[in-house]
Amino acid sequence: MRKLMDGHNFQDRDWLFGLMIQSKLFCPKRAGGRVFISPDYNQTMEQQREMTMKRIAYLLDRGVFDGWLTGKGAEAEMRKFALHEVIGMYDHSLAVKLGVHYYLWGGAIQFFGTKRHHDKWLRDTEAYMIKGCFAMSELGHGSNVRGIETVTTYDANTGEFVINTPCESAQKYWIGGAANHATHTIVFSQLNINGNKQGVHAFIAQIRDADGNICPNIRVADCGHKIGLNGVDNGRIWFDNVRIPRENLLNSVADVLPDGQYLSAIKDPDQRFAAFLAPLTSGRVTIAVSAVYSSKISLAIAIRYSLTRRAFSLAPNEPEVLLLDYPSHQRRLLPLLAKTCAMSFAGNYLKMIYVKRTPQSNKMIHVVSSAFKATLTWHNMRTLQECREACGGQGVKTENRVGHMKSEYDVQSTFEGDNNVLMQQVSKALLGEYIAAKKRKAPFKGLGLEHMNESCPVIPSQLTSSTLQSSRFQTDVFCLRERDLLNRFAIEVSQRQAQGESKEYAFILSYQLAEDLGRAFSDRLILQTFLEAEATVSDGPMKNVLGLLRSMYALISLEEDPAFLRYGYLSTENAAAVRKEVTKLCGELRPHALALVSSFGIPDAFLSPIAFDWIDANSWSSVQH
């Protein structure tokens, strides 16, 4: 089961787990006869940042980052994903700090740059001799990258670009690494040549020298203490006529000749802007997958605790009942467990389409990564909250991880794209495919909409247990919801346009259908990835458990989304049948709960004392020790 859910690089993962467990830098602490590792969140912000840098140095010396930028092919990319996931399971700050450096700064040079940039920057970046950050967000602009206000002009007399922060809202904001450590940054800026505005482009600028001194004409300030991620030095940057060589324009999409002539093979400004943003997908991929591993940790802790903690007896002189033997407690945790397993398969699918990307698949990857980043991070925050509550007062203790992880992971809902905005982008892309297919009177092809070429699924008027647990019904009802919502969305936008609204404003006014459609797309694709993973397993006990998990994922999705009742895909009687089946599935999954969280492959040291002998961990002898 672990191989199915982790998907790849098991030995590399276990090697890195071992490296971290054996070093005092990762704050080992003995409790209940076991050793646990977790960052010391009692440290000051400055101390947490210092520890992040020490841990990076330790991992660097042991070859963890070898090939992260210079390695070639899918194998190198999958190893990088696996090791980054393990790092995130220990500390989100450490993973984000490395993600900014390797995925954002390093990825920008890889994908926006050309050979001259690769030769000059990649090897030193991989060796952490250069410390990079990524200056896209501004005080006044986050999701709307096209509207950023930083301005870069070209001086043909000197062959230099000149970068300026023209107003306070143009200051670069939330830039990870900028406050203390970064030596260089990618600057996203409006390019202006001889009064002609060419749109957003990316440039390399140095912000500190090798000794850590801030460079001339650059001002840097700290973003200050945050609700989480205090091991990352987020900063603000102002540019005051900062001059950089012409060669520091990352020129894979567009270039400027020495005389100031602007060149780009992509003439359409919208397509050019899209080409600049396409490589940023890797950030959404890593966020989506790390959210799944965060959910796994919290569920492993909460479910293990519920298998040892007892409360209330059903009759006098009888033993108290285990928490997980209460149907209500099963209802709280086991649907989240099934969803997390489903999202493991979705994360693996996302990684595979990313490493096998082609120019033709960029749109699909953008849409899927946007949908999964939103869906998986929202799921993680809900899971963390439920697990915190399911652990009672113990869930509040920092050493038990779950409560504190909420503040560490909360940012995932808004960085690398606000989740609500991302879901609207998903619906917008689906609408575009719908309009294009109707216009050319051709079958749907792309974004997984091929099911709309088939006849509309018919849902039985009465749903039995066997029907509810069949993959055919589950697929049909998910496809029915998606196709109907897409039709409704297209009609509503069209009607608003017919009433005189612009296409953009018509889309904005139809936001409720857009949100429903984005969720339908994501849920259907997650189910599809589950079925594909399940199909690789031979008949036997594991296949049976996967069937239970898949049915739980599908049916809890039906129960939780009001769209199934709102638009009549399910009758009230069938909705009641779904609810009853979810309760039945909880009982069927209960015997497998411990085996499932064990199959996550998370070392005991990465969990917490309440997952094991929490009485010994809280004994008087532990206080004296």
Side-chain angles (χ1 to χ4, degrees):
M1 185 69 91
R2 182 199 172 185
K3 287 184 177 179
L4 199 63
M5 282 198 275
D6 270 347
H8 60 98
N9 296 87
F10 318 107
Q11 289 182 328
D12 290 319
R13 293 172 193 269
D14 290 342
W15 166 72
L16 181 51
F17 280 135
L19 279 182
M20 297 165 83
I21 290 169
Q22 71 191 26
S23 170
K24 286 186 166 51
L25 283 172
F26 294 87
C27 304
K29 181 182 177 185
R30 182 166 289 277
R34 296 173 184 269
V35 173
F36 299 96
I37 62 169
S38 179
D40 182 358
Y41 295 113
N42 290 315
Q43 291 180 323
T44 65
M45 180 178 75
E46 291 76 14
Q47 288 171 326
Q48 289 184 55
R49 292 176 178 181
E50 183 182 350
M51 286 306 298
T52 297
M53 293 301 285
K54 286 181 177 179
R55 289 168 186 143
I56 289 173
Y58 170 84
L59 298 174
L60 183 70
D61 288 346
R62 282 149 187 81
V64 172
F65 311 129
D66 290 356
W68 276 33
L69 290 171
T70 58
K72 305 294 183 189
E75 192 176 314
E77 288 204 72
M78 293 305 272
R79 176 182 180 272
K80 177 179 170 185
F81 276 133
L83 297 180
H84 192 251
E85 287 155 19
V86 169
I87 289 166
M89 291 165 75
Y90 171 73
D91 178 26
H92 197 207
S93 282
L94 183 58
V96 168
K97 180 85 169 177
L98 291 167
V100 169
H101 176 76
Y102 285 103
Y103 283 97
L104 295 183
W105 156 267
I109 291 170
Q110 274 184 320
F111 301 123
F112 296 149
T114 51
K115 187 176 185 300
R116 73 188 189 210
H117 304 108
H118 301 163
D119 293 346
K120 182 173 181 179
W121 302 99
L122 286 184
R123 196 163 293 281
D124 284 350
T125 295
E126 184 174 285
Y128 218 67
M129 293 166 66
I130 288 169
K131 299 172 183 65
C133 63
F134 189 82
M136 176 180 277
S137 296
E138 296 178 355
L139 178 61
H141 289 87
S143 295
N144 181 18
V145 177
R146 197 190 291 260
I148 61 173
E149 297 172 286
T150 302
V151 175
T152 298
T153 56
Y154 181 66
D155 184 345
N157 295 323
T158 61
E160 295 172 313
F161 289 106
V162 185
I163 307 174
N164 262 298
T165 303
C167 55
E168 287 297 351
S169 58
Q171 63 181 272
K172 294 297 180 182
Y173 212 94
W174 290 127
I175 311 307
N180 295 133
H181 305 128
T183 58
H184 294 73
T185 188
I186 303 294
V187 186
F188 281 81
S189 173
Q190 302 288 353
L191 177 59
N192 194 327
I193 299 180
N194 298 323
N196 295 319
K197 296 177 181 178
Q198 302 294 351
V200 175
H201 290 65
F203 305 84
I204 296 172
Q206 186 168 356
I207 60 173
R208 284 184 180 85
D209 63 23
D211 297 322
N213 301 306
I214 295 174
C215 293
N217 299 342
I218 291 198
R219 291 173 284 150
V220 173
D222 203 310
C223 285
H225 195 272
K226 308 181 289 290
I227 63 169
L229 287 184
N230 283 302
V232 179
D233 53 317
N234 292 90
R236 304 145 64 192
I237 311 173
W238 291 258
F239 300 91
D240 303 317
N241 290 314
V242 174
R243 289 181 170 267
I244 60 171
R246 182 182 65 88
E247 292 76 15
N248 282 20
L249 167 66
L250 294 175
N251 64 336
S252 68
V253 175
D255 205 354
V256 175
L257 298 182
D259 63 1
Q261 184 182 351
Y262 181 81
L263 299 175
S264 178
I266 306 173
K267 302 305 178 189
D268 182 273
D270 291 339
Q271 291 181 5
R272 198 159 63 230
F273 178 71
F276 270 118
L277 296 189
L280 305 182
T281 306
S282 66
R284 288 195 292 274
V285 175
T286 59
I287 290 167
V289 175
S290 75
V292 176
Y293 281 99
S294 167
S295 296
K296 286 181 177 179
I297 291 170
S298 63
L299 284 163
I301 292 169
I303 286 174
R304 283 177 177 272
Y305 184 57
S306 71
L307 288 166
T308 57
R309 176 71 188 231
R310 296 175 180 271
F312 306 105
S313 53
L314 299 181
N317 303 318
E318 284 191 3
E320 291 182 284
V321 179
L322 284 172
L323 292 183
L324 201 59
D325 284 337
Y326 283 102
S328 59
H329 209 78
Q330 295 171 12
R331 201 51 146 77
R332 295 172 70 182
L333 296 179
L334 298 185
L336 294 173
L337 175 62
K339 279 189 160 188
T340 300
C341 293
M343 290 174 188
S344 285
F345 304 135
N348 290 335
Y349 167 79
L350 177 57
K351 284 183 282 187
M352 287 308 301
I353 63 171
Y354 176 77
V355 300
K356 293 179 177 179
R357 63 194 176 277
T358 62
Q360 293 72 35
S361 68
N362 276 343
K363 182 176 182 180
M364 177 69 173
I365 294 168
H366 168 72
V367 173
V368 174
S369 65
S370 297
F372 283 2
K373 186 267 184 184
T375 303
L376 275 53
T377 58
W378 273 330
H379 166 75
N380 180 42
M381 290 310 298
R382 182 184 165 199
T383 302
L384 288 169
Q385 181 63 31
E386 196 64 65
C387 288
R388 206 299 293 157
E389 293 181 29
C391 292
Q394 291 293 335
V396 179
K397 290 187 72 174
T398 305
E399 72 172 10
N400 288 325
R401 298 207 67 186
V402 180
H404 194 87
M405 285 169 69
K406 286 197 307 168
S407 57
E408 290 293 306
Y409 280 88
D410 199 341
V411 68
Q412 286 194 335
S413 302
T414 47
F415 74 1
E416 297 276 335
D418 176 281
N419 282 358
N420 287 286
V421 174
L422 290 179
M423 282 305 230
Q424 288 183 24
Q425 288 183 11
V426 170
S427 298
K428 204 170 193 176
L430 294 173
L431 179 62
E433 287 295 313
Y434 179 94
I435 292 170
K438 295 293 184 184
K439 188 175 289 186
R440 63 176 184 261
K441 296 180 180 176
F444 287 93
K445 187 178 180 183
L447 299 186
L449 294 177
E450 288 81 1
H451 66 87
M452 293 186 65
N453 298 322
E454 301 168 13
S455 57
C456 185
V458 177
I459 305 304
S461 57
Q462 282 192 309
L463 295 176
T464 63
S465 178
S466 59
T467 301
L468 287 167
Q469 291 202 35
S470 74
S471 59
R472 168 47 51 200
F473 161 74
Q474 292 159 10
T475 302
D476 280 352
V477 75
F478 275 38
C479 288
L480 173 63
R481 172 181 53 159
E482 185 180 19
R483 71 189 292 154
D484 181 66
L485 287 171
L486 182 49
N487 279 316
R488 288 174 184 270
F489 185 48
I491 290 168
E492 184 169 308
V493 170
S494 177
Q495 286 175 341
R496 292 187 188 280
Q497 286 182 271
Q499 292 165 3
E501 304 291 359
S502 68
K503 183 179 178 181
E504 285 298 320
Y505 195 52
F507 179 85
I508 289 170
L509 290 172
S510 304
Y511 71 94
Q512 289 175 313
L513 273 170
E515 289 171 1
D516 290 344
L517 176 58
R519 179 174 182 172
F521 170 84
S522 190
D523 288 352
R524 191 263 309 156
L525 186 52
I526 291 170
L527 178 64
Q528 179 183 316
T529 65
F530 200 130
L531 287 165
E532 289 169 359
E534 193 179 344
T536 66
V537 178
S538 303
D539 288 346
M542 188 166 120
K543 183 114 174 176
N544 295 337
V545 173
L546 284 169
L548 295 176
L549 288 168
R550 186 238 313 138
S551 291
M552 177 66 93
Y553 166 73
L555 297 184
I556 198 65
S557 298
L558 296 189
E559 184 177 280
E560 290 177 347
D561 187 1
F564 287 100
L565 274 173
R566 181 186 297 131
Y567 301 111
Y569 314 137
L570 292 178
S571 65
T572 54
E573 292 79 8
N574 280 342
V578 167
R579 191 177 199 197
K580 185 178 178 182
E581 194 68 21
V582 168
T583 301
K584 176 171 168 268
L585 282 166
C586 284
E588 292 175 356
L589 280 170
R590 160 66 180 89
H592 306 289
L594 180 59
L596 284 166
V597 295
S598 298
S599 75
F600 290 162
I602 305 167
D604 293 354
F606 278 66
L607 299 179
S608 70
I610 56 165
F612 302 99
D613 191 344
W614 41 271
I615 293 178
D616 186 41
N618 287 280
S619 65
W620 179 249
S621 61
S622 72
V623 176
Q624 291 176 310
H625 177 71

